[in-house]
Amino acid sequence: MIKAILIFNNHGKPRLIRFYQYFLNMQLQIKHLCTNKMAEDMQQQIIRETFHLVSKRDDNVCNFLEGGSLIGGSDYKLIYRHYATLYFVFCVDSSESELGILDLIQVFVETLDKCFENVCELDLIFHMDKVHYILQEVVMGGMVLETNMNEIVAQVELQNRMEKSEGGLSGAPARAVSAVKNMNLPEIPRNINIGDINIKVPSLSPF
Amino acid sequence: MALKIVKGSIDRMFDKNLQDLVRGIRNHKEDEAKYISTCIDEIKQELKQDNIAVKANAVCKLTYLQMLGYDVSWAAFNIVEVMSSSKFTYKRIGYLAASQCFHEGTDVIMLTTNQIRKDLSSPNQYDTGVALTGLSCFVTPDLARDLANDIMTLMSHTKPYIRKKAVLIMYKVFLKYPESLRPAFPRLKEKLEDPDPGVQSAAVNVICELARRNPKNYLSLAPLFFKLMTSSTNNWVLIKIIKLFGALTPLEPRLGKKLIEPLTNLIHSTSAMSLLYECVNTVIAVLISLSSGMPNHSASIQLCVQKLRILIEDSDQNLKYLGLLAMSKILKTHPKSVQSHKDLILQCLDDKDESIRLRALDLLYGMVSKKNLMEIVKKLMLHVDKAEGTTYRDELLTKIIDICSQSNYQYITNFEWYISILVELTRLEGTRHGHLIASQMLDVAIRVKAIRGFAVAQMATLLDNAHLLTGNTQRNGICEVLYAAAWICGEFSEHLEDPMQTLEAMLRPKVATLPGHIQAVYVQNAAKLFATVLQKHEGETDSQAAQETSQLLIDRLPLFVQSANLEVQERASCILQLVKYIQKLQQKNVEVAEEVTALFAGELNPVAPKAQKKVPIPEGLDLDAWINEPPSESESEDEKPKVVFAKEEPKHYRSRHTEVDEKELARRREVRKQEQANNPFYIKASPSSQKVYDAPGVEHIPVVQIDLSVPLKVPGMPMSDQYLKLEEERRQKEKAERKKKEKKKKREKRGKGRKADSGPESEEDITPAHQVDIVTEEMPENALPSDDDDKDPNDPHKALDIDLDKPLADSEKLPVRTHRPEVLKSPAEDRDSKSVPQETKKKSSKEKKEKKKDKEKDRKRSKEEKKKKKKHKEVEEELLESQPEEAVQSEETKEAAAPPTSTSAEEVTAPSSAAAVDTSSAAAPESEPDEPKDTEPEDTKSSKHKKKKQKKEKEEKEKKKKKRHHHHHHHGDAGGEDSVQNGTVEEEEPLPPMSNYSLLAENSYIKMVYDIQGNHQDESKVVVSVIFENKSDSFLKSMEFNVLDSLNSKLQRPEGAGPHDGLTVPFQLPPGVSNEARFVFSVQSIVMPQKLKGTLTFIVKSDESSTHEKLDFKLHFTCTSYLITTPCYSDAYAKLLESGDLKGSSLRLEGINMPFHHLLARICFHHHFSVVERIDSCASMYSRSIQGHHVCLLVKTSDQTVSIDAKCDEPSLLGNVLDEIKQTFSKC
């Protein structure tokens, strides 16, 4: 299982965090004692600790690191790769193959590169959501979903196309909203024929 | 309202999107926190708007802020709203946010069950995909239970994309709901041979995860995996399978033998390093499991070690690391084969990479023998001097101690050498492991009697030079050593050469700067020394020396009496008074030495770590019983148990102390950081400078590198190196002597003492330099020999230890959404099928009796949950209508109506909205899943504007009153057939009960009622659920259900069956029992209603005879039955209407005498519509056919006249649906 995926830059600024396990402070294991704020703090603490561990390593040393104290346990390992300004860190347990995960990071980064065309840190900064969507096609719930890059890219693109056909996040049908609301307004004569509403919208999504 | 919307959309043009937010944060580097807090305020405003696009945008931004560490759980409800958008774009945003910030404690999660179920069965594979992905991150036990069956169905989806996701998520479901493992396992196993490699890989993945924790249950899959291993070319799958075999072989050595050959082949043939590595790993596991059974696998071991050596010698650091890692596994069982590569491993100690050095250290641990221990430790000591980072140096230190102390100091031949090593280690700069060294010193001094003299001398020197250890603040950790030194000198003071000098050293004023617990030991042991000195001088004629000692104590002790530390103060004042009294006696020339020594008489022996645990509990002692009545809580808080005997368990005491210290430090550091962060004048450290810091404990101390080229030497201390030379000389001498002896003696004698796995030269040959007798640890009398299981009781995998080979029992089936006609019936049907429900209950009661107990528990739990839930906001309560609580409520109402049978228990096992959807829709169509959404915006708003909310509440109450009024009114009209239900039904269910089941056919033996539902996943299939009820007194069996297919509609028969064969009903009916069977029909065109003729044949078996009977029926496929209740947002609805693709039609109903909401409810329920929007007596409704036709209705009413304007992209379908609606109302 992959327990967490962290991407941060050379200064420890998180660019993407994805926890597949809910980490709590050891002293606050009892769930109802742990507020959401504590959980967030714990995540940030893990990021800091991981950055601390990873950042002091040279580029020519091995890419494995026995887990930090927070994620804890001898069963956990940090497997990371350093690309230009970014660290990609996977926290995994012993059921994952170390070299396999290294390959997976490579696949993930190459996929990012394909999807963003020459990916750089800025792409990750401004499109965190998209990076998440790509990651979702690679790893699901901490388990490796797909390792074939073409398959990943194809699925990502199909979903993007779908989003585009819906007009994306920015182009929501504001007009249509007011239109339908008007339909039911009391001031307007009761006897509306639906046929009257006939404003053309160029492309209708098949929903 | 309209104005607000327009305003909203204008506002939106100025809204920030995610990119703007990120840009803004980057532009406000100085006051980021402030900027973000204004952004959060904006987001809060945006979330209040009705427009889902605005909300989605806001939620998207929140996801980003969550990454930066902001708590966004307050928006959980809005996230749920966005998740339930019908648009993929928004849905995806919602699920992403949910997966980032929902967890088991998030209470709104329980509101999502229906939404997720709807998404899972969405015709759009990406809706399903997004829901699966999201669910995989926040699945809870409740969700897992409610959705297990839906996900299981998805495992056989037509699209591999969905299949692989569904397979993967099953693992999470198993973890949260272990009961689902057995029912789902056969299908999971099937997926191992899925044609799609992705799905196959997912299945392998899941089974490997399961098998890793409970391997023995998966042994039966070994042949299947073996086949996969030899046939698959996918390295990912291969790696997983090979890892799995690694877990299985320890349980089944025969498997191991079979594996060796294919694995060896793979090792030789593969070019992928990852695969090679895993193969080697598994071969090692196999060899370990075989080590006892089969002796001759040296070839395989050699191959592994050889391959690993290649890995270790590789320039790729990753391979080197993994090579060492695997090597350490071999080491455990085949140390000899590894020991021959000692050179390579020692070489790795010099590697620049810390991870690799640490791995090499691990290996060294297993490679030491009596012969090479000193040599290896010497190497390590060199590294200790060279090591630059504190972390690594500390690691080295612990490793040295581990290596030396392993298995009861088995490899140490010369304890003088070990003590000097420990003393040398005290020179370490700023180590955190002072206590570790100290406990070793104590342990050795106590357990090795022969070494005490030497140890005491060394400790005395240490105490004398204590200023070297304490002089530097950085040496904080190491002063722990003084604790051990003081105690050893005191306890074994008879070995001291000059106790007076040591006593003087222990009472120096500088000691007062030491930590309290150390001072306390100093004071106590000063008293012991004092006793020794007295005894020494007692016999002498000149009592001067003894009196001087007393005076020294009387002079120095007051310093400690003033100590802030209670322990020190108490001991010091006690001893001071004692000494004063002794001095008085001395002046009278009374001999006191013996009495004083008696104070400290007796030997302290080490206690085994588990000794306390192993003390058997005497009979009749109940440890959980109160001795006295429990005291009030506040009292117990004040009285923290004191550590009384710090001396006897120094380790505990110390570690507790340091822990507190570290915690305190961490807290202070945190506070300081906060201060610095808030202080504009504080110059923050640049991130790069952080690299200098190492141990978290000393982060705030600026590290000054001290040039250690000249090693610090404590004067008078022996260097451990000298022992190496001495040892060698000694050994050589011994060898020579032995050779002489050997000539005389026979060889056999030597052979006897040899151990099987010792090095080339027998270890027994190396005799220890001292006579070492290691005191064994004390155990209580009649200690229990059994070793305690140290397994974590909270391990979620424990629950998954389930035997998978047993056949499935009926009771284990997953909760399935079923129609529940027995809940409430329509008045019309009540007449026909009066006895149906009770019978069903009886049947189920038989089935479920065994499981009842468990369910009772469940029920209790769910009731508790219910109580908790009641605390939730009202808004949520509204939404809860179709949620577990609903199920519980409806269950309660039933209980009131009928004596509590086990049906109620069954209800609770599936309080799942699985059942609840139908229950609630059967009971009150208003609680249709889409309905809540409709009211959401209003409700959310209301929760935010309290004043408004109150008003609204009033309105709602009024509404409810009205509803109730209508309700009763209606029943008066209907003739009050269902008055029983009426009495118990609370105000939540103001509507007349309805059922979708209609009569199919009936004769004196059997009655059939049926309902047709569209299949969500397949556009050409509908499911006909038929309830068979045995009305006779005889047993009905061999029921066969057959339908004459038409061109358009066909009954789906199993493969191989002819087109006219009937389907066997999969159950028999004892008298009075009813049961439900489902039949799948494939349909081509859905625009026309259809009737299919069919026959049911069955055998009636009574005591005396059995007869063949048959019953003809006509299955009526209405157009309505092809419609699926699908929620629709008003904006999407508007867009749809605007598109102009829809053809219109209309309908007028006269003389309808029922409240408008009843009318809507009927349309919703009987014709599978959902309300998009309703204002006064006008409502828009939507539904969708299984083939994707949109059907829109605008329903208006005035004075008993209802007009329905309808639009649909298929006019004939629309016409037929309208006809059916008309019929429904003409019946009323």
Side-chain angles (χ1 to χ4, degrees), chain B residues 729-743:
Chain B
E729 282 168 23
R730 191 178 64 88
R731 273 184 205 172
Q732 235 133 42
K733 233 195 258 169
E734 270 177 15
K735 248 188 196 171
E737 271 174 27
R738 205 176 297 121
K739 268 182 188 167
K740 277 181 210 161
K741 277 185 195 168
E742 259 166 44
K743 277 174 192 168

Side-chain angles (χ1 to χ4, degrees), chain B residues 53-72:
Chain B
V54 178
K55 273 188 191 167
N57 183 42
V59 165
C60 185
K61 288 190 279 183
L62 281 179
T63 314
Y64 184 82
L65 293 179
Q66 191 271 341
M67 177 180 79
L68 298 184
Y70 289 85
D71 175 24
V72 299

